[in-house]
Amino acid sequence: MEESNKLYYGSIPRVLNEDILSFLCIKHKGEIGLGSKKDCPRIRIRYVIDKNRFGYADFGDFFFWEDGGLYVWQQSEEFEEDHNPDIVEDYFGHSCEGRGYTLRSIFAGIDTGYDDSNGSRMFTGDVVLVKEPNGYEMGALCLASPRGLISDGFYGFPLDNYSLTLDMCKEGGHNLERIGTIFYQLDPCADPVSIWDKALTFNNTYRGKEDESVLRTMARYTPNFDKEVWKYLGLEILGIEEFNWKTIK
């Protein structure tokens, strides 16, 4: 209750996660339903539209349903068939005329406000190659923020018995390079899984050199719904360019 009161009456936390975003959407439900962003916090998220197609949305253009699922307002008629007026009516209490179409989407990260060592903006859900200042490679790690309504969270890499935060990396002179995202082998019908849980699994699963190489390849060709590993490896063999996770709009 104390953390909820802080979020409701206090300033926006520096570090966000899906739970906090959902809470803030409820807090600003009126503005979101009307399409008014004047008093909304400045937050940007990433989401999956389709294979090789990420979308980006500012706060005020999305909300979370009670099952944790993300809905993003769209204006293009290509999303008309995906619109769910019942969800809109249940969430906002009215039809939100003029807001466009709601697209059920896979949440794919929060703009952390941090850039990697090449100046590329990092989002939670990114797979980042982490090297210590002496060049020692710690590995490819998934970036996340802890779950829950917490006001003192962090962006970082959850490891076996501690988390390497982005602040620690910046202070320690680590080299960080975005090399892909965690959004491969997606299932559009699956229940939402937090990025923190995805990162815990990705970062703490032992892999040999061959398996590590395969996962790095898969991370490059995201977002992707293909289940078969050979399809990802085939893209690399054919020399297909990396998917559009590097392009941030």
Side-chain angles (χ1 to χ4, degrees), residues 19 22 43 102 179 227:
D19 298 316
S22 180
I43 298 169
T102 51
I179 61 171
K227 299 296 184 182

Side-chain angles (χ1 to χ4, degrees), residues 14-16 110-117 120-131 138 141-146 153-159 162-178 196 203:
R14 186 177 66 89
V15 175
L16 303 169
I110 301 164
D111 184 339
T112 65
Y114 291 81
D115 294 337
D116 73 1
S117 298
S120 181
R121 181 55 54 91
M122 292 185 285
F123 284 69
T124 56
D126 281 347
V127 175
V128 180
L129 184 61
V130 181
K131 294 181 180 179
M138 295 185 65
L141 302 173
C142 181
L143 178 61
S145 55
F154 59 85
Y155 295 118
F157 309 99
L159 302 174
Y162 78 105
S163 291
L164 178 66
T165 71
L166 290 184
D167 286 336
M168 293 166 62
C169 291
K170 294 296 183 180
E171 292 170 5
H174 290 66
N175 184 276
L176 305 177
E177 179 187 0
R178 299 175 70 229
W196 179 257
N203 295 350

Side-chain angles (χ1 to χ4, degrees), residues 7-222:
L7 286 174
Y8 194 86
Y9 296 106
S11 59
I12 304 301
R14 186 177 66 89
V15 175
L16 303 169
N17 58 38
E18 295 95 309
D19 298 316
I20 295 175
L21 286 176
S22 180
F23 184 92
L24 292 174
C25 285
I26 294 172
K27 176 182 176 180
H28 293 274
K29 184 184 296 187
E31 296 102 300
I32 296 173
L34 294 173
S36 174
K37 297 183 181 179
K38 181 179 179 181
D39 296 320
C40 288
R42 300 184 65 180
I43 298 169
R44 180 171 59 162
I45 68 165
R46 178 176 63 189
Y47 62 98
V48 176
I49 299 176
D50 204 345
K51 181 177 179 179
N52 192 17
R53 190 180 178 190
F54 278 124
Y56 298 85
D58 295 326
F59 190 90
D61 288 330
F62 61 86
F63 61 94
F64 290 83
W65 185 235
E66 58 190 23
D67 66 350
L70 173 70
Y71 285 85
V72 182
W73 289 106
Q74 303 286 351
Q75 298 300 316
S76 173
E77 291 186 1
E78 72 172 291
F79 302 108
E80 183 176 5
E81 292 184 1
D82 300 301
H83 182 58
N84 190 327
D86 293 333
I87 289 287
V88 173
E89 187 73 37
D90 286 348
Y91 188 86
F92 294 100
H94 57 93
S95 61
C96 298
E97 288 292 331
R99 285 297 278 127
Y101 310 108
T102 51
L103 176 67
R104 173 86 175 202
S105 305
I106 296 174
F107 179 77
I110 301 164
D111 184 339
T112 65
Y114 291 81
D115 294 337
D116 73 1
S117 298
N118 297 318
S120 181
R121 181 55 54 91
M122 292 185 285
F123 284 69
T124 56
D126 281 347
V127 175
V128 180
L129 184 61
V130 181
K131 294 181 180 179
E132 294 182 351
N134 62 8
Y136 173 77
E137 185 177 302
M138 295 185 65
L141 302 173
C142 181
L143 178 61
S145 55
R147 297 175 58 185
L149 296 178
I150 54 178
S151 57
D152 58 350
F154 59 85
Y155 295 118
F157 309 99
L159 302 174
D160 184 31
N161 55 4
Y162 78 105
S163 291
L164 178 66
T165 71
L166 290 184
D167 286 336
M168 293 166 62
C169 291
K170 294 296 183 180
E171 292 170 5
H174 290 66
N175 184 276
L176 305 177
E177 179 187 0
R178 299 175 70 229
I179 61 171
T181 80
I182 195 72
F183 303 103
Y184 50 77
Q185 294 180 319
L186 296 172
D187 182 351
C189 298
D191 292 334
V193 177
S194 73
I195 293 178
W196 179 257
D197 288 342
K198 289 177 179 287
L200 281 171
T201 300
F202 185 90
N203 295 350
N204 295 295
T205 299
Y206 172 78
R207 295 183 290 268
K209 288 185 178 181
E210 183 175 346
D211 290 339
E212 177 70 14
S213 176
V214 168
L215 278 188
R216 292 188 188 189
T217 296
M218 294 172 70
R220 291 169 51 214
Y221 295 105
T222 54

